[in-house]
Each structure stands twice: as structure tokens, then as C-alpha cells.
């Protein structure tokens, strides 16, 4: 199906969806790569991690590739994440409502934002499925609640990175707009420095705990038993680092911009662009 200039290409939602599927498989079996590439030195810890992986293995009948724990499906998922991620970053396209020129870092942040958008649809689908089973068929699942929490955690982190790239995070401009442009640049610099200090503090205080939870593949301890602590704790450190880098990139690229006045009034240009986008999608 052909699309207009501002229409949605099929790959704009298909690639993030396939990337999410590959990443989900990879995350669920990530302990297999730990056992193959960086196994615990303590034998009891190794046996515990091995037993946990074998209990959660989706393809228990498949032998590990190269004599290890990770099988062919795990390696395909790993390759899929790398390949689909590269394609998604290269092909991500700015929507009419998105602003600013893009660097490679911006493309990464926006693609991560696209993945977060797909995950929101998956999150809502899981919740609707659980509501239907619980209240219509009176047969609730053992996994929907924990999976919803897991997805919501990743969505929260990835959406924060996208918000930083788009400058759509909460900011108070009451005094900022009254300042001359040079003073605004000083405020922007101080704000970025505070983000860097916060990032350093988070990494300094959380690195040990995050690596420990990841290395022992700590799970939630429920019937579904997802590795939420083992995955979200390292993800927090990774994403907050990307947020800090994005903040520095924003500061550099916004340095030469003219002063911008922020108001609560509707932006007629944005409304007109939104109308054109909706019109193009209807005609696609």
C-alpha cells in the first residue's frame, strides 16, 4: 500500500515490533550467554544459575550452539537485535510533530522511542487479555501482572530518553524566558551539569547492586518469576547514561539557537502540520 509524503511506512512499526520480539527472547534467555561467556567462578552459583536457566528455557529440547547453553534460537535472537536495531536506527524517520536536526545519537533515541510506543500497545494488550480472562472466564493468568510491570518499567525508561531528545520533559520557563540568551545558555549549562552529576551518583551508587543482580539473574520470586531485578537495574544505568549523553548533545546543538518564548497558547503551525499528517494517512 502506497503512502503519502507524511504517511506511515509499514517498516516504521514492523521493525520496532520485530526488534521487540527478538529482544524479548534474548532477555528471557540472557542467562545462557552468561553461562557461556562469563560463568560464575563459584560452582554452587554456576549450578544455581544453570538450574534456573533450564527451568525457564523455552526450547529445552534444542542443544546449545558450540557446545554451550545458548542454542541456535538464542543466537538468532541476538543477531536479530543487532541487525534490526541497526536497520531501525538507519531508517527511522522524523514525524511532522518532531523537531530538531538529527545526529546518530538522536536517531538511536528516537528509535528507542518507537520501540517504547510498540511496547505500550503490547502492555495494553496484556492487560486487556488478563481482564478478559479474570472477569469473563474467571481464569486469571499467573503471568500477566508481572509482565505488565516488566513492560511498564522498560517503557518508562525508554520514554524518558525519547522525552530528553525531544525536549518534551517538564521544564519551568517562568524566569528562564525573561533572561537574555547568554544567561539562558548559562542556565542550560548548569542544568546539563546537574544531570551529569545525578548520572554519576546513580552509577556510582547502583553499579555494584545492578551487576550483582544481573550476574546471579535475580528474579521476582513469583509464580511467573520474571527476572525483573536482573534486567531493570542494569537498564536504569544504561538508559540514564544515554540520557546524560543526549543532554550534552542537546546543549551543544542548541547553543547557537535564538531565544525561544514558551507560552500556553496553541501552536498554530503544529496544529496545521498535524492536520496535514492525518490527511496524508487517510489518503494512504
Amino acid at each position: 500500500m502506497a503512502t503519502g509524503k507524511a504517511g506511515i511506512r509499514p517498516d516504521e512499526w514492523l521493525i520496532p515490533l520485530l526488534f521487540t520480539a527478538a529482544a524479548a527472547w534474548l532477555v528471557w534467555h540472557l542467562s545462557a550467554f552468561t553461562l557461556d561467556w562469563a560463568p560464575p567462578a563459584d560452582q554452587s552459583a554456576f549450578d544455581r544459575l544453570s538450574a534456573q536457566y533450564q527451568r525457564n528455557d523455552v526450547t529445552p529440547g534444542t542443544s546449545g550452539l558450540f557446545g554451550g547453553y545458548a542454542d541456535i534460537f538464542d543466537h538468532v535472537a541476538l543477531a536479530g537485535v543487532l541487525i534490526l536495531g541497526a536497520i531501525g536506527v538507519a531508517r527511522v524517520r522524523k514525524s511532522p510533530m518532531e523537531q530538531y536536526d538529527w545526529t546518530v545519537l538522536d536517531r538511536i533515541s528516537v528509535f528507542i522511542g518507537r520501540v517504547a510506543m510498540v511496547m505500550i500497545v503490547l502492555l495494553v494488550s496484556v492487560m486487556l487479555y488478563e481482564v478478559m480472562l479474570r472477569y469473563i472466564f474467571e481464569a486469571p493468568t499467573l503471568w500477566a501482572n508481572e509482565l505488565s510491570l516488566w513492560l511498564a518499567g522498560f517503557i518508562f525508561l525508554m520514554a524518558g530518553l525519547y522525552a530528553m531528545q525531544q525536549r518534551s520533559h517538564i521544564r519551568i520557563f517562568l524566569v528562564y524566558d525573561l533572561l537574555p540568551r547568554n544567561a539562558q545558555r548559562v542556565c542550560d549549562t548548569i542544568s546539563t551539569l546537574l544531570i551529569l552529576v545525578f548520572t554519576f551518583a546513580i552509577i556510582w551508587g547502583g553499579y555494584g547492586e545492578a551487576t550483582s543482580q544481573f550476574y546471579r539473574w535475580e528474579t521476582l520470586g513469583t509464580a511467573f518469576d520474571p527476572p525483573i531485578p536482573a534486567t531493570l537495574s542494569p537498564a536504569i544505568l544504561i538508559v540514564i547514561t544515554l540520557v546524560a549523553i543526549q543532554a550534552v548533545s542537546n546543549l551543544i546543538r542548541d547553543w547557537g539557537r535564538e531565544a525561544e518564548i514558551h507560552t500556553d497558547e496553541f501552536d498554530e503551525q503544529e496544529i496545521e502540520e498535524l492536520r496535514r499528517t492525518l490527511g496524508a494517512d487517510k489518503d494512504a
Side-chain angles (χ1 to χ4, degrees), residues 172-188:
I172 300 174
F173 297 104
L174 183 62
V175 177
Y176 183 88
D177 285 347
L178 299 176
L179 300 174
R181 184 63 184 128
N182 287 336
Q184 289 180 349
R185 293 190 180 100
V186 172
C187 293
D188 294 339

Side-chain angles (χ1 to χ4, degrees), residues 5-24:
K5 182 178 180 180
I8 298 177
R9 299 192 311 250
D11 63 301
E12 290 186 274
W13 59 266
L14 183 58
I15 290 178
L17 180 61
L18 294 175
F19 176 87
T20 302

Side-chain angles (χ1 to χ4, degrees), residues 76-127:
V76 168
L78 176 60
V81 167
L82 298 176
I83 295 173
L84 291 169
I87 295 174
V89 170
R91 291 184 59 82
V92 69
R93 186 175 58 163
K94 184 191 308 181
S95 75
M97 298 299 293
E98 292 174 330
Q99 302 180 11
Y100 308 103
D101 295 330
W102 287 0
T103 64
V104 174
L105 177 61
D106 292 304
R107 286 183 168 273
I108 293 174
S109 298
V110 173
F111 177 70
I112 290 176
R114 300 289 190 268
V115 173
M117 296 173 192
V118 169
M119 291 179 66
I120 290 174
V121 177
L122 297 177
L123 172 60
V124 173
S125 300
V126 170
M127 296 176 67

Side-chain angles (χ1 to χ4, degrees), residues 144-190:
N145 181 56
E146 286 82 4
L147 181 58
S148 299
L149 294 174
W150 202 5
L151 290 172
F154 277 107
I155 291 170
F156 177 81
L157 291 174
M158 294 188 292
L161 175 60
Y162 177 75
M164 174 60 71
Q165 191 276 335
Q166 287 292 301
R167 285 80 160 174
S168 59
H169 48 286
I170 296 176
R171 302 171 67 185
I172 300 174
F173 297 104
L174 183 62
V175 177
Y176 183 88
D177 285 347
L178 299 176
L179 300 174
R181 184 63 184 128
N182 287 336
Q184 289 180 349
R185 293 190 180 100
V186 172
C187 293
D188 294 339
T189 302
I190 294 174

Side-chain angles (χ1 to χ4, degrees), residues 40-57:
D42 182 70
Q43 186 62 39
S44 61
F46 180 91
D47 293 340
R48 192 163 52 247
L49 184 61
S50 175
Q52 184 185 68
Y53 167 72
Q54 293 173 2
R55 183 173 63 252
N56 296 329
D57 188 7

